[in-house]
Amino acid sequence: FKQRLTNKTLPFNSYLFFTYQQTAFWDVFKKSFPFREINYHPSLALIKAHYKKGKYNGFWQFQFEHESNGLDGDSSRSWNRFSLIYERFLSAKLTGRLKIWAPVGNVDDNPDITDFRGFQELSFAYKFNEDFILETEMRKGWSLDLKGSILLGANYRISKRSNQFLYLQYFLGYSENLITYDQSTHRIRLGVVFKDLFLKFKE
C-alpha cells in the first residue's frame, strides 16, 4: 500500500509517501502448509508527477527502502538502498517503468546480492482491453553471466464491476526472495489479484 504523509508540497513539487509491501511464500506442497519465508519491504518516498502538454504522463519516485525477512542467525537477510523510479505512458495502452538503486549500509547478511539482483529493473504493462492485461518485469545481475530474472504475468478481470483479476504468473531466475536469493528457480502461480489501475494507463 501507499499512503501520502502530508498534503504540503515539498521541493520540486513532490509529495512524501510511506509505502509498504509484504511478500509471503506459502509452501502448499508440504504438510501443514508452512510459510517458507516472509519478506518485509517498507520505504519513504518523494513522488513527483510528470505532465506532457498539461496532461498526466507518469511520475518520478525517489525513495529509501529497507528489505528484510525478519529471521535471525544464518537465515537472516536484509539490506537498505536508495532507489529512483521513472514511470510513463509509452502509448495509450502501454506503460513502462525503469527502477535503479544503490545499496547503502551493512549488507553482511547477503554481501553479493547485487550479483543476482543487479542495480536496475525494467518493467512493462500492456492493456489489451478492460478485461485483459499483460505484465513483465526484468532484472540483470551485476555479473558477466546470465544471472538475473524475468517475471511474466497475465491478468483477466473476473467481473466488469470489480477490480479483481485471475492472475497467472511465471518467474524464472534469481533473487525472487531473500533467503535463497543466490539460487536459480522457476515458478508458475495461479491466483486472484486486486489491482489498482488508477492512472496506470492513458486509456
Side-chain angles (χ1 to χ4, degrees), residues 67-109:
E67 189 175 9
S68 63
N69 62 2
L71 301 177
D72 60 6
D74 293 339
S75 298
S76 175
R77 301 284 187 275
S78 68
W79 66 318
N80 301 312
R81 60 189 183 269
F82 286 107
S83 62
L84 179 66
I85 296 173
Y86 177 52
E87 180 174 300
R88 60 161 294 181
F89 300 140
L90 300 177
S91 70
K93 296 185 177 182
L94 178 64
T95 300
R97 186 170 100 155
L98 174 65
K99 179 178 179 180
I100 59 176
W101 55 80
V104 293
N106 191 334
V107 292
D108 289 347
D109 291 340

Side-chain angles (χ1 to χ4, degrees), residues 102-163:
V104 293
N106 191 334
V107 292
D108 289 347
D109 291 340
N110 27 250
D112 59 348
I113 191 169
T114 54
D115 290 345
F116 301 89
R117 189 174 294 196
F119 294 90
Q120 72 289 313
E121 178 181 283
L122 183 64
S123 57
F124 298 95
Y126 184 79
K127 184 174 74 171
F128 280 88
N129 51 50
E130 294 301 320
D131 297 326
F132 188 53
I133 298 171
L134 286 180
E135 299 169 319
T136 183
E137 180 182 287
M138 296 164 284
R139 298 193 297 248
K140 173 63 181 74
W142 192 250
S143 57
L144 297 178
D145 51 27
L146 296 177
K147 291 185 177 68
S149 67
I150 183 168
L151 182 150
L152 303 173
N155 306 264
Y156 184 76
R157 192 186 297 269
I158 296 174
S159 169
K160 294 184 181 298
R161 295 180 295 177
S162 74
N163 65 340

Side-chain angles (χ1 to χ4, degrees), residues 24-35:
F25 294 90
W26 190 17
D27 199 336
V28 297
F29 295 106
K30 288 189 176 180
K31 188 177 181 180
S32 79
F33 309 121
F35 283 97

